[in-house]
PDB file of all heavy atoms in Angstrom:
ATOM      1  N   SER B 459     -20.457   9.688  -5.686  1.00  0.00           N
ATOM      2  CA  SER B 459     -21.834   9.217  -5.834  1.00  0.00           C
ATOM      3  C   SER B 459     -22.245   8.166  -4.846  1.00  0.00           C
ATOM      4  O   SER B 459     -21.434   7.355  -4.392  1.00  0.00           O
ATOM      5  CB  SER B 459     -22.301   8.708  -7.156  1.00  0.00           C
ATOM      6  OG  SER B 459     -21.767   9.579  -8.179  1.00  0.00           O
ATOM      7  N   SER B 460     -23.512   8.270  -4.389  1.00  0.00           N
ATOM      8  CA  SER B 460     -24.007   7.170  -3.406  1.00  0.00           C
ATOM      9  C   SER B 460     -25.200   6.441  -4.025  1.00  0.00           C
ATOM     10  O   SER B 460     -25.914   6.982  -4.837  1.00  0.00           O
ATOM     11  CB  SER B 460     -24.472   7.885  -2.167  1.00  0.00           C
ATOM     12  OG  SER B 460     -25.490   7.116  -1.556  1.00  0.00           O
ATOM     13  N   SER B 461     -25.262   5.174  -3.693  1.00  0.00           N
ATOM     14  CA  SER B 461     -26.451   4.403  -4.210  1.00  0.00           C
ATOM     15  C   SER B 461     -27.700   4.856  -3.572  1.00  0.00           C
ATOM     16  O   SER B 461     -28.708   4.493  -4.078  1.00  0.00           O
ATOM     17  CB  SER B 461     -26.188   2.806  -3.803  1.00  0.00           C
ATOM     18  OG  SER B 461     -26.112   2.731  -2.443  1.00  0.00           O
ATOM     19  N   ASP B 462     -27.759   5.683  -2.557  1.00  0.00           N
ATOM     20  CA  ASP B 462     -28.870   6.266  -1.816  1.00  0.00           C
ATOM     21  C   ASP B 462     -29.230   7.596  -2.581  1.00  0.00           C
ATOM     22  O   ASP B 462     -30.096   8.225  -2.060  1.00  0.00           O
ATOM     23  CB  ASP B 462     -28.718   6.501  -0.367  1.00  0.00           C
ATOM     24  CG  ASP B 462     -28.763   5.131   0.438  1.00  0.00           C
ATOM     25  OD1 ASP B 462     -29.092   4.055  -0.209  1.00  0.00           O
ATOM     26  OD2 ASP B 462     -28.628   5.173   1.571  1.00  0.00           O
ATOM     27  N   GLY B 463     -28.581   7.815  -3.659  1.00  0.00           N
ATOM     28  CA  GLY B 463     -28.781   9.170  -4.274  1.00  0.00           C
ATOM     29  C   GLY B 463     -27.841  10.177  -3.878  1.00  0.00           C
ATOM     30  O   GLY B 463     -27.023   9.910  -2.889  1.00  0.00           O
ATOM     31  N   GLN B 464     -27.663  11.249  -4.534  1.00  0.00           N
ATOM     32  CA  GLN B 464     -26.857  12.372  -4.216  1.00  0.00           C
ATOM     33  C   GLN B 464     -25.453  12.163  -4.903  1.00  0.00           C
ATOM     34  O   GLN B 464     -24.852  11.051  -4.763  1.00  0.00           O
ATOM     35  CB  GLN B 464     -26.650  12.623  -2.748  1.00  0.00           C
ATOM     36  CG  GLN B 464     -25.989  14.049  -2.474  1.00  0.00           C
ATOM     37  CD  GLN B 464     -25.868  14.419  -1.013  1.00  0.00           C
ATOM     38  OE1 GLN B 464     -26.221  13.658  -0.181  1.00  0.00           O
ATOM     39  NE2 GLN B 464     -25.184  15.400  -0.823  1.00  0.00           N
ATOM     40  N   SER B 465     -24.996  13.161  -5.592  1.00  0.00           N
ATOM     41  CA  SER B 465     -23.587  13.005  -6.061  1.00  0.00           C
ATOM     42  C   SER B 465     -23.024  14.487  -6.065  1.00  0.00           C
ATOM     43  O   SER B 465     -23.738  15.500  -6.207  1.00  0.00           O
ATOM     44  CB  SER B 465     -23.473  12.363  -7.611  1.00  0.00           C
ATOM     45  OG  SER B 465     -24.190  13.283  -8.411  1.00  0.00           O
ATOM     46  N   VAL B 466     -21.819  14.508  -5.673  1.00  0.00           N
ATOM     47  CA  VAL B 466     -21.124  15.821  -5.494  1.00  0.00           C
ATOM     48  C   VAL B 466     -19.731  15.859  -6.336  1.00  0.00           C
ATOM     49  O   VAL B 466     -19.218  14.761  -6.505  1.00  0.00           O
ATOM     50  CB  VAL B 466     -20.999  16.133  -4.017  1.00  0.00           C
ATOM     51  CG1 VAL B 466     -22.176  16.181  -3.331  1.00  0.00           C
ATOM     52  CG2 VAL B 466     -19.973  15.163  -3.364  1.00  0.00           C
ATOM     53  N   THR B 467     -19.182  16.999  -6.493  1.00  0.00           N
ATOM     54  CA  THR B 467     -17.880  17.118  -7.105  1.00  0.00           C
ATOM     55  C   THR B 467     -16.798  17.042  -5.879  1.00  0.00           C
ATOM     56  O   THR B 467     -17.200  17.036  -4.751  1.00  0.00           O
ATOM     57  CB  THR B 467     -17.711  18.602  -7.694  1.00  0.00           C
ATOM     58  OG1 THR B 467     -18.035  19.552  -6.726  1.00  0.00           O
ATOM     59  CG2 THR B 467     -18.595  18.793  -8.812  1.00  0.00           C
ATOM     60  N   ALA B 468     -15.589  16.808  -6.352  1.00  0.00           N
ATOM     61  CA  ALA B 468     -14.495  16.483  -5.544  1.00  0.00           C
ATOM     62  C   ALA B 468     -14.376  17.328  -4.211  1.00  0.00           C
ATOM     63  O   ALA B 468     -14.343  16.920  -3.080  1.00  0.00           O
ATOM     64  CB  ALA B 468     -13.191  16.388  -6.273  1.00  0.00           C
ATOM     65  N   SER B 469     -14.411  18.694  -4.497  1.00  0.00           N
ATOM     66  CA  SER B 469     -14.209  19.653  -3.466  1.00  0.00           C
ATOM     67  C   SER B 469     -15.211  19.624  -2.335  1.00  0.00           C
ATOM     68  O   SER B 469     -15.033  20.071  -1.285  1.00  0.00           O
ATOM     69  CB  SER B 469     -13.941  21.049  -3.877  1.00  0.00           C
ATOM     70  OG  SER B 469     -14.998  21.457  -4.768  1.00  0.00           O
ATOM     71  N   ASN B 470     -16.512  19.056  -2.732  1.00  0.00           N
ATOM     72  CA  ASN B 470     -17.564  19.039  -1.831  1.00  0.00           C
ATOM     73  C   ASN B 470     -17.668  17.570  -1.147  1.00  0.00           C
ATOM     74  O   ASN B 470     -18.790  17.193  -0.752  1.00  0.00           O
ATOM     75  CB  ASN B 470     -18.949  19.359  -2.503  1.00  0.00           C
ATOM     76  CG  ASN B 470     -18.900  20.693  -3.028  1.00  0.00           C
ATOM     77  OD1 ASN B 470     -18.430  21.636  -2.336  1.00  0.00           O
ATOM     78  ND2 ASN B 470     -19.341  20.969  -4.215  1.00  0.00           N
ATOM     79  N   TYR B 471     -16.609  16.798  -1.134  1.00  0.00           N
ATOM     80  CA  TYR B 471     -16.695  15.442  -0.575  1.00  0.00           C
ATOM     81  C   TYR B 471     -17.251  15.376   0.684  1.00  0.00           C
ATOM     82  O   TYR B 471     -17.873  14.269   0.974  1.00  0.00           O
ATOM     83  CB  TYR B 471     -15.247  14.782  -0.655  1.00  0.00           C
ATOM     84  CG  TYR B 471     -14.271  15.272   0.285  1.00  0.00           C
ATOM     85  CD1 TYR B 471     -14.092  14.624   1.579  1.00  0.00           C
ATOM     86  CD2 TYR B 471     -13.327  16.376  -0.109  1.00  0.00           C
ATOM     87  CE1 TYR B 471     -13.218  15.138   2.547  1.00  0.00           C
ATOM     88  CE2 TYR B 471     -12.463  16.764   0.964  1.00  0.00           C
ATOM     89  CZ  TYR B 471     -12.330  16.120   2.199  1.00  0.00           C
ATOM     90  OH  TYR B 471     -11.457  16.640   3.141  1.00  0.00           O
ATOM     91  N   LYS B 472     -17.097  16.412   1.535  1.00  0.00           N
ATOM     92  CA  LYS B 472     -17.607  16.294   2.830  1.00  0.00           C
ATOM     93  C   LYS B 472     -19.112  16.260   2.929  1.00  0.00           C
ATOM     94  O   LYS B 472     -19.665  15.971   4.085  1.00  0.00           O
ATOM     95  CB  LYS B 472     -17.110  17.507   3.772  1.00  0.00           C
ATOM     96  CG  LYS B 472     -15.710  17.298   4.216  1.00  0.00           C
ATOM     97  CD  LYS B 472     -15.019  18.380   4.976  1.00  0.00           C
ATOM     98  CE  LYS B 472     -13.656  18.014   5.369  1.00  0.00           C
ATOM     99  NZ  LYS B 472     -12.925  19.164   5.926  1.00  0.00           N
TER     100      LYS B 472
END
Side-chain angles (χ1 to χ4, degrees):
Chain B
S459 311
S460 151
S461 60
D462 283 357
Q464 195 175 357
S465 65
V466 299
T467 54
S469 55
N470 296 318
Y471 70 90
K472 283 182 179 166

